[in-house]
Amino acid sequence: LLSTFSIQFSYQLFLFVTKNRSRLSFTMSHAERKQFYLDFFESVQDTIPKPPPLVEMQSPKKLLDLIPTIQSLSANMKFLLEENSQLKDVVNHLLFENSQLKSDLDALDQYSRRENVCFTNVKVDETNACSDQIVKLCQELEVDVATSDLVAAHPLPKKKKVPTATLR
């Protein structure tokens, strides 16, 4: 809309200047220049878009017709606020349950590792099985452990270049 108006306005200006070329000069007085502009704006009045008419005040009868709609919207809003409150309660309950489950899972992990033994600074030999190396270490420490006593024995990932092994 604005570009169409700009094009029309520019075209009107072009036509007006073309018709009134004889009146244009660089030595126009202030009054002549003012009259030239007034004449131009008068000629393009139909090109300038008119503002929309002002909205008339609603009659009291029309406003009274809106009361049921407003009451309905108010009731819907109350319902939505209640539902929102209930949903917040459910979310808070689920967050609490989630934290409880995380705590229970951590306790279960700790319980399942209660029979694990971690050895640090054990040189893991690639040629021998880890369980055999653990049995040798236990014999050196004078602890009676047989390979059949072990459920699993494997090296753990290195954290700080310290060799470790886990015994189950």
Side-chain angles (χ1 to χ4, degrees), residues 6-166:
S6 300
I7 293 169
Q8 289 175 345
F9 190 80
S10 298
Y11 181 68
Q12 291 288 337
L13 177 62
F14 171 75
L15 290 177
F16 185 80
V17 169
T18 306
K19 286 181 188 175
N20 297 290
R21 187 174 298 189
S22 61
R23 289 176 54 193
L24 285 174
S25 74
F26 290 108
T27 58
M28 289 173 86
S29 68
H30 178 70
E32 291 173 325
R33 207 173 314 124
K34 183 177 177 183
Q35 187 58 46
F36 181 81
Y37 289 135
L38 288 173
D39 292 345
F40 169 69
F41 284 117
E42 192 175 296
S43 73
V44 292
Q45 278 299 323
D46 59 329
T47 310
I48 299 173
K50 305 284 187 256
L54 294 175
V55 178
E56 295 180 21
M57 279 295 292
Q58 297 286 330
S59 69
K61 185 176 181 185
K62 288 183 182 178
L63 290 176
L64 290 175
D65 292 342
L66 292 176
I67 290 176
T69 305
I70 292 170
Q71 289 172 340
S72 171
L73 289 173
S74 177
N76 286 343
M77 186 171 170
K78 286 179 185 176
F79 171 77
L80 291 174
L81 287 173
E82 283 181 28
E83 186 179 30
N84 190 18
S85 175
Q86 291 171 354
L87 289 173
K88 283 181 180 180
D89 290 343
V90 168
V91 167
N92 287 334
H93 179 71
L94 290 174
L95 287 172
F96 176 75
E97 278 188 357
N98 189 22
S99 67
Q100 287 288 74
L101 288 172
K102 283 182 181 179
S103 176
D104 291 349
L105 181 64
D106 188 41
L108 238 122
D109 280 346
Q110 290 294 333
Y111 183 77
S112 70
R113 289 191 293 258
R114 78 184 188 288
E115 295 178 356
N116 290 359
V117 178
C118 287
F119 293 97
T120 58
N121 295 326
V122 175
K123 303 286 187 227
V124 179
D125 186 8
E126 301 284 330
T127 58
N128 295 330
C130 193
S131 56
D132 293 336
Q133 291 177 353
I134 297 298
V135 169
K136 276 186 194 176
L137 176 67
C138 288
Q139 287 172 353
E140 288 175 14
L141 296 172
E142 298 178 2
V143 176
D144 188 25
V145 174
T147 309
S148 60
D149 294 335
L150 306 178
V151 175
H154 53 84
L156 295 175
K158 295 179 182 179
K159 290 182 183 177
K160 296 180 182 177
K161 297 185 180 182
V162 176
T164 59
T166 298

